[in-house]
Amino acid sequence: MSTTPSPLPVLQGRGGVVLTADRDALVLDRPREQVTFVPGGVARVRAEGRTVTIELRAPRGTAPTVYRVEDVSEAAAAVFADGVIALLPDREDGEVDGTALTIVRSLTPTWHQRFVRRLLWGMFGFFVTLVACAVAAGLAGTAVSVIAIVVFGGITWASLGVGVYTVRRWLRERWLRRHGITVTATAAATPGAYVYMDDTGTYRGFMHGEDGPYVTVSYDPRDPADVLVPQASHLRLLNSVLGSFLLFCSLSGMALLVLLVVDAFTGGEFSRGADGV
């Protein structure tokens, strides 16, 4: 490595693309993904007017992978390219594949994040509906009706959220085991970060809460950047049974809530009829 250069500029290109660099890596931020280049995998960086080109190292006889950042400042591009070249380690051309030293991390929401967001919105809507029913029942019925709606509604609300989450996640894992691809991801330098190689040969990174040398991940071949860490078999069985039971209880609770609301608006007609049977 050469001596430490002056701070490198941040290049802002077309479409919100940002390129930064330090001694450890080059980072290319795109709207939907982040690409990290290890200096040992970069062959050269060139400034061509308002375009910066990053060319990766490639084995002899193969075309190198090239990334371009366009519409940047021409002066900043020249300074950036010269500074990165000074950072690149001295090495002889060999059979190094720069793509193996490049990590792509998706910035789009994963299936799990999208599902949790929709679930939370659904739970919020159910909660608002429950509060509205309790207020309406209080105006039309008695305090007993309101208490019953609040108690059974709260239990139903919690059971519905847990039941839908566990059953839907179990179904997702089941689908991935049948139609997806399962690989081993190894721990990266950053705590909680892991790297895996998809079926196209691209090394992809993601963040996970576990702290271990590796984890098993599954992904949909149509979207290799979206991974899900499968649960252990006993947890998967427990969650499928528990989730199904809670989902059944929540559906039964919703039916009971409808009866309680109707009973409150009819002045207890249903409950009096039940007492008379």
Side-chain angles (χ1 to χ4, degrees):
M1 301 287 286
S2 61
T3 57
T4 303
S6 59
L8 297 177
V10 175
L11 301 183
Q12 299 182 355
R14 181 190 305 170
V17 176
V18 178
L19 179 63
T20 58
D22 57 26
R23 180 175 293 274
D24 297 322
L26 278 72
V27 179
L28 178 63
D29 287 304
R30 293 170 167 174
R32 295 183 177 274
E33 65 181 11
Q34 182 183 76
V35 186
T36 302
F37 307 96
V38 176
V42 177
R44 59 186 58 86
V45 177
R46 297 192 303 271
E48 302 169 341
R50 298 186 61 190
T51 300
V52 171
T53 301
I54 302 172
E55 181 179 320
L56 303 184
R57 300 177 66 183
R60 293 186 180 91
T62 61
T65 301
V66 176
Y67 292 82
R68 290 184 175 86
V69 181
E70 301 176 334
D71 288 347
V72 300
S73 166
E74 185 172 351
V79 174
F80 184 91
D82 292 341
V84 172
I85 291 174
L87 284 175
L88 296 180
D90 297 330
R91 75 282 186 278
E92 297 180 357
D93 292 335
E95 296 299 316
V96 176
D97 185 1
T99 58
L101 299 175
T102 301
I103 300 174
V104 180
R105 185 168 70 91
S106 175
L107 300 179
T108 58
T110 64
W111 172 88
H112 184 264
Q113 291 170 333
R114 295 193 301 270
F115 164 63
V116 170
R117 185 167 54 201
R118 289 194 297 266
L119 177 61
L120 291 177
W121 274 112
M123 295 299 295
F124 176 74
F126 185 92
F127 178 78
V128 172
T129 303
L130 179 63
V131 172
C133 289
V135 172
L139 296 176
T142 63
V144 175
S145 300
V146 176
I147 294 174
I149 291 174
V150 171
V151 171
F152 285 105
I155 296 174
T156 301
W157 180 79
S159 300
L160 182 64
V162 177
V164 170
Y165 176 82
T166 53
V167 170
R168 186 65 185 91
R169 194 183 194 282
W170 171 73
L171 290 174
R172 175 68 175 179
E173 285 192 28
R174 184 171 180 267
W175 188 91
L176 287 175
R177 290 200 308 273
R178 292 187 174 186
H179 306 286
I181 298 176
T182 300
V183 296
T184 299
T186 56
T190 304
Y194 289 85
V195 179
Y196 66 98
M197 185 175 68
D198 65 18
D199 56 334
T200 66
T202 302
Y203 286 83
R204 299 187 178 274
F206 69 100
M207 301 299 294
H208 186 56
E210 292 188 11
D211 184 17
Y214 62 88
V215 293
T216 301
V217 297
S218 300
Y219 64 86
D220 185 344
R222 297 169 297 184
D223 187 9
D226 190 354
V227 297
L228 186 69
V229 179
Q231 296 175 324
S233 57
H234 66 283
L235 290 178
R236 191 162 53 241
L237 176 62
L238 175 63
N239 286 337
S240 64
V241 174
L242 178 62
S244 300
F245 174 74
L246 290 177
L247 192 57
F248 172 78
C249 292
S250 63
L251 294 177
S252 301
M254 292 173 68
L256 178 60
L257 280 175
V258 172
L259 293 177
L260 288 173
V261 172
V262 173
D263 188 65
F265 277 94
T266 57
E269 179 180 344
F270 286 156
S271 60
R272 288 196 303 268
D275 294 337
V277 175

